[in-house]
């Protein structure tokens, strides 16, 4: 389900430095040696799946905050949103996103004013 939040495709994760660091760490853990650039760029399917699982978990709350504003297209070009009512999204989208993201916040973040995302402060 977390992968579905990536409208642009999960491949967008593969260019991030965090992705490359994670793949490098997993290869080192598996082989006991420092990986070369090619093995980081083209990891085994086992390493790729493990890295994807870890990275999606790391980012899922951040993506949850954006979900009220994301739309998906079906194969016929029809667009869908989690909340089809644009008035709801306009008036409550930010609050809904913050609630969705809040399960990943620290206690300190929960105790602060959340008129904007704690991640964007």
């Amino acid at each position: 389900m977390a992968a579905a939040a990536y409208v642009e495709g999960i491949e967008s994760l593969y260019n991030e430095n965090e992705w490359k660091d994670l793949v490098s760490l997993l290869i080192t853990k598996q082989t006991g040696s420092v990986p070369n650039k090619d093995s980081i760029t083209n990891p085994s399917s086992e390493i790729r799946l493990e890295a994807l699982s870890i990275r999606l978990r790391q980012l899922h709350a951040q993506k949850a905050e954006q979900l009220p504003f994301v739309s998906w297209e079906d194969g016929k070009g029809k667009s869908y949103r989690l909340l089809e009512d644009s008035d709801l999204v306009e008036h409550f989208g930010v609050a809904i996103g913050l609630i969705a993201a809040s399960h990943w916040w620290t206690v300190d973040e929960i105790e602060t004013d959340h008129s904007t995302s704690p991640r964007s402060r």
Side-chain angles (χ1 to χ4, degrees):
M1 287 169 95
Y6 290 83
V7 177
E8 69 281 6
I10 57 171
E11 296 79 16
S12 63
L13 296 174
Y14 303 158
N15 295 320
E16 297 177 341
N17 287 331
E18 294 85 356
W19 171 263
K20 295 170 187 169
D21 290 346
L22 179 57
V23 169
S24 179
L25 177 70
L26 293 172
I27 292 171
T28 301
K29 185 178 168 185
Q30 183 184 60
T31 65
S33 60
V34 177
N36 61 36
K37 187 177 180 178
D38 184 55
S39 62
I40 294 170
T41 304
N42 301 301
S44 68
S45 58
E46 177 186 347
I47 294 290
R48 183 181 302 274
L49 285 173
E50 185 176 359
L52 184 58
S53 175
I54 291 168
R55 195 69 184 127
L56 288 174
R57 174 118 175 95
Q58 290 171 337
L59 295 172
H60 82 277
Q62 181 181 337
K63 275 296 198 184
E65 186 173 344
Q66 301 164 9
L67 285 177
F69 307 99
V70 175
S71 63
W72 293 265
E73 281 191 21
D74 65 12
K76 299 175 184 174
K78 182 168 168 64
S79 184
Y80 296 92
R81 297 174 74 163
L82 288 177
L83 293 172
E84 295 291 338
D85 186 324
S86 59
D87 286 338
L88 278 177
V89 174
E90 182 180 337
H91 290 81
F92 301 109
V94 171
I96 291 168
L98 289 173
I99 292 167
S102 69
H103 71 282
W104 206 245
W105 293 345
T106 65
V107 172
D108 290 337
E109 288 173 320
I110 292 169
E111 291 176 344
T112 63
D113 171 31
H114 291 292
S115 56
T116 62
S117 167
R119 305 285 184 245
S120 63
R121 287 186 203 161

